[in-house]
Amino acid sequence: MIVPKYLLMNGELTPYDDARVHVLSTAFKYGASVFEGLRAYWNETQGELYGFRLREHFQRLVESLRICRMASPLDVDGYTADLVRLMRANDLREDLHMRVSAYVDEDDGGLASFEPVSVAMAALPMRRYFGKTGLHVQVSSWTRISDNSMPPRVKAMPNYHNSRLALLQARADGYDDAILLSGAGKVTEGPGYCLFMLRGGKWVTPPVTSGILESITRDSLMVLAAEAGLEVQEREIDRTELYVADELFFCGSAAEVTPILSVDRIPVGSGEVGQRTQALHAAFLATVRGETPDTKGWLTPVFASVPVAAT
Ligand code: PMP
């Protein structure tokens, strides 16, 4: 793993080896931590690094904190400025994955402790998340967490226990990945990605009230698909629809657009990467890398033009 020179701990540039959390912090003891996973893409021709929809990610972080009754140390502008400052300080000119965590940092904190909230930011080089073009997935026998117990809308660290149970079982059973169903038996999402299905010439994706994270990639793809003239329907998806779908893919900041080639060993369509998926993937990559004009204000140029607020 290539490690960056600095992380940002509560706004301070901190050498990689010094960025630590105590084992007795509430975050470590009780999982009192929410986070964001963001991306920045290097455009070689323009010599610029573009952060993708940073503000939307930080808005989601602020909402996660609010639901968890934790105070947000910064507002959306403050988080954005700090992250840009960190990326500039490390001077990494390649594709990046950024992780921003906000966690209860009290030493030996009790179950009810909710302060102080610390913020840690890391920006790390990232290649493709999946080492393959398409995935063979299993419908998990684990049920997705739900809004009334462990809300998936909150990007909370402990939610990933549910994700790990499904993913590790899928791997142990010889699959690449998993799709989780809700308690009502409807399709929700993968362990760390949302899902789109092409059926009857339309894209279909489960609604944000179906037990999913409100994915920023999902939202972006809905906009890009509509621009390409394909309708996107937000509605419940049954398990058996996965077996008769024409195309299926996972999406997320890490997963980008990753085709699903089979579900429970039943091939999706022809079993090859679908043409519509390929087209949407290409439009997505051109957008995030700044190869098409940023008409939506989704990109933050890291090395140029953005004033970095003093903190
Ligand atoms: N669902 C889950 C459970 C996730 O962890 C992620 C990754 N953040 C996503 C969906 C995709 O969300 P986004 O597009 O905002 O990265």
Side-chain angles (χ1 to χ4, degrees):
M1 170 181 165
I2 305 166
V3 298
K5 201 165 171 197
Y6 300 115
L7 272 67
L8 206 68
M9 303 294 282
N10 290 324
E12 295 285 327
L13 287 173
T14 306
Y16 185 90
D17 287 337
D18 298 341
R20 307 252 168 229
V21 178
H22 201 277
V23 287
L24 293 181
S25 64
T26 318
F28 193 78
K29 282 167 69 180
Y30 298 116
S33 176
V34 298
F35 70 100
E36 276 303 315
L38 313 90
R39 297 297 303 269
Y41 289 86
W42 176 246
N43 184 313
E44 184 69 40
T45 317
Q46 298 173 23
E48 183 56 285
L49 181 67
Y50 288 111
F52 184 63
R53 300 194 76 178
L54 304 183
R55 295 182 58 82
E56 288 86 344
H57 278 276
F58 290 128
Q59 181 59 35
R60 188 170 67 187
L61 185 75
V62 167
E63 290 174 9
S64 289
L65 283 164
R66 186 176 169 85
I67 295 170
C68 293
R69 298 180 185 274
M70 287 155 63
S72 182
L74 298 169
D75 60 12
V76 167
D77 288 340
Y79 287 114
T80 308
D82 266 4
L83 186 61
V84 168
R85 190 154 58 87
L86 175 68
M87 288 191 281
R88 284 185 178 178
N90 280 310
D91 200 30
L92 294 168
R93 290 164 191 264
E94 56 189 303
D95 292 352
L96 301 180
H97 174 257
M98 293 86 77
R99 174 169 272 245
V100 175
S101 308
Y103 53 96
V104 181
D105 207 7
E106 190 184 0
D107 252 18
D108 206 16
L111 188 55
S113 107
F114 56 87
E115 57 188 1
V117 176
S118 283
V119 177
M121 298 189 176
L124 308 159
M126 181 165 175
R127 302 267 185 274
R128 287 184 53 210
Y129 181 73
F130 291 109
K132 39 172 75 177
T133 334
L135 305 177
H136 300 283
V137 310
Q138 168 185 64
V139 174
S140 186
S141 56
W142 292 101
T143 298
R144 183 74 180 132
I145 49 176
S146 69
D147 195 57
N148 220 18
S149 53
M150 296 273 286
R153 173 170 292 100
V154 180
K155 197 161 168 61
M157 203 172 73
N159 288 2
Y160 290 82
H161 179 53
N162 177 245
S163 297
R164 283 172 53 80
L165 288 172
L167 180 58
L168 293 177
Q169 177 181 1
R171 294 277 165 89
D173 291 351
Y175 294 86
D176 297 314
D177 222 301
I179 294 172
L180 289 121
L181 304 181
S182 66
K186 303 297 178 186
V187 170
T188 63
E189 59 183 341
Y193 359 95
C194 283
L195 177 137
F196 279 72
M197 166 180 85
L198 188 78
R199 218 181 150 211
K202 285 182 214 156
W203 287 116
V204 185
T205 191
V208 291
T209 48
S210 62
I212 63 169
L213 182 74
E214 291 184 32
S215 154
I216 290 151
T217 315
R218 169 187 176 282
D219 180 75
S220 310
L221 291 170
M222 287 176 64
V223 173
L224 294 175
E227 277 183 3
L230 267 196
E231 191 186 328
V232 184
Q233 227 183 345
E234 291 179 272
R235 67 155 174 84
E236 284 181 342
I237 296 180
D238 277 337
R239 172 183 191 151
T240 47
E241 289 188 274
L242 301 173
Y243 302 146
V244 294
D246 297 318
E247 299 186 23
L248 270 185
F249 67 81
F250 279 140
C251 72
S253 298
E256 300 173 320
V257 171
T258 300
I260 297 172
L261 302 179
S262 71
V263 180
D264 294 339
R265 303 284 177 222
I266 300 175
V268 176
S270 64
E272 306 288 321
V273 177
Q275 274 180 10
R276 304 279 193 178
T277 303
Q278 260 173 350
L280 196 51
H281 191 186
F284 177 76
L285 290 179
T287 302
V288 296
R289 209 175 282 290
E291 286 165 1
T292 49
D294 178 25
T295 53
K296 302 161 194 79
W298 284 351
L299 304 185
T300 301
V302 170
F303 291 112
S305 72
V306 181
V308 178
T311 50

